[in-house]
């Protein structure tokens, strides 16, 4: 697989503001085109890994109780292009988002924030009723800023998990980085 999105430079975040990623449709298109994607099934889950290069940003997680990450997808379910669908999802349980410490792979699943840039962050969205081979016209991830962060060092990269129905995150070491991911194309 070939798709990632890199944000560089990483803009300053202000507590309470909503940060919206650049378009992630190349990542989502790649996953829903996989031969084992079972389109239109409630069993489909789509997950992303967010990594950083020293640009610490704190985003609300599922456990924060409000402002958890939100995925917006607009797609055309067939080649006629006559019907445009929109799907909005949030993590729906505590193990649908997690952080992994780069130094030893330790997983944290019950934190009120995601330490983007300091740790690897995994976010899972369930009930992805997107037909196989649908054309994804836009996909963005919204994250609510938990605190002010203005350093401009490094970048943030968002990658998809190369699975048709990603599992919830476990407490096993390296559970985020041991999964197969999309990778390759950086979008400034």
């Amino acid at each position: 697989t070939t798709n990632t999105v890199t944000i560089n430079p990483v803009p300053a975040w202000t507590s309470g503001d909503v940060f919206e990623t650049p378009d992630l449709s190349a990542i989502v298109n790649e996953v829903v085109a996989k031969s084992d994607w079972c389109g239109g099934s409630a069993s489909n889950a789509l997950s992303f890994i967010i990594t950083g290069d020293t640009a610490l940003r704190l985003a609300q997680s599922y456990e924060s109780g409000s402002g958890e990450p939100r995925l917006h997808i607009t797609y055309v379910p067939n080649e006629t292009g006559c019907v445009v669908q929109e799907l909005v999802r949030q993590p729906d349980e505590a193990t649908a988002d997690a952080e992994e410490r780069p130094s030893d792979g330790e997983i944290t699943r019950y934190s009120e924030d995601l330490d983007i840039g300091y740790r690897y962050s995994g976010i899972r969205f369930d009930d992805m009723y997107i037909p196989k081979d649908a054309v994804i016209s836009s996909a963005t991830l919204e994250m609510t800023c938990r605190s002010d962060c203005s350093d401009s060092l490094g970048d943030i990269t968002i990658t998809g998990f190369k699975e048709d129905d990603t599992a919830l995150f476990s407490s096993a070491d390296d559970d985020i980085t041991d999964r197969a991911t999309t990778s390759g194309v950086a979008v400034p």
Side-chain angles (χ1 to χ4, degrees):
T1 59
T2 59
N3 293 289
T4 67
V5 170
T6 299
I7 304 162
N8 186 337
V10 179
W13 285 20
T14 302
S15 182
D17 285 355
V18 174
F19 171 75
E20 185 175 293
T21 66
D23 188 24
L24 307 175
S25 60
I27 295 169
V28 178
N29 270 316
E30 184 173 351
V31 174
V32 302
K34 287 179 46 49
S35 62
D36 54 357
W37 180 263
C38 183
S41 171
S43 67
N44 284 342
L46 180 64
S47 295
F48 298 91
I49 180 173
I50 305 172
T51 59
D53 180 21
T54 69
L56 176 63
R57 298 295 183 264
L58 298 175
Q60 301 281 71
S61 70
Y62 172 83
E63 291 81 4
S64 67
S66 66
E68 56 268 41
R70 182 172 264 165
L71 179 64
H72 293 261
I73 298 177
T74 304
Y75 66 94
V76 177
N78 57 45
E79 62 273 346
T80 65
C82 295
V83 179
V84 175
Q85 302 284 334
E86 184 174 8
L87 187 66
V88 179
R89 293 287 185 267
Q90 295 173 211
D92 60 359
E93 57 188 285
T95 55
D97 59 28
E99 301 170 313
E100 180 180 317
R101 189 168 45 208
S103 62
D104 61 7
E106 180 182 18
I107 298 292
T108 302
R109 297 186 299 168
Y110 301 102
S111 174
E112 290 192 359
D113 59 39
L114 297 171
D115 300 347
I116 297 168
Y118 175 66
R119 297 176 184 255
Y120 304 125
S121 298
I123 307 173
R124 178 182 185 268
F125 301 93
D126 209 357
D127 298 332
M128 301 301 295
Y129 295 100
I130 301 174
K132 179 173 174 26
D133 294 322
V135 176
I136 310 301
S137 50
S138 70
T140 58
L141 179 59
E142 290 181 352
M143 295 178 280
T144 301
C145 307
R146 186 161 174 86
S147 66
D148 293 348
C149 298
S150 60
D151 62 353
S152 60
L153 303 172
D155 57 18
I156 293 174
T157 300
I158 301 172
T159 308
F161 286 105
K162 189 177 60 172
E163 300 172 359
D164 66 317
D165 185 23
T166 55
L168 291 165
F169 297 104
S170 76
S171 59
D173 285 355
D174 302 309
D175 186 45
I176 294 173
T177 55
D178 277 352
R179 298 178 186 211
T181 61
T182 61
S183 63
V185 178
V187 178

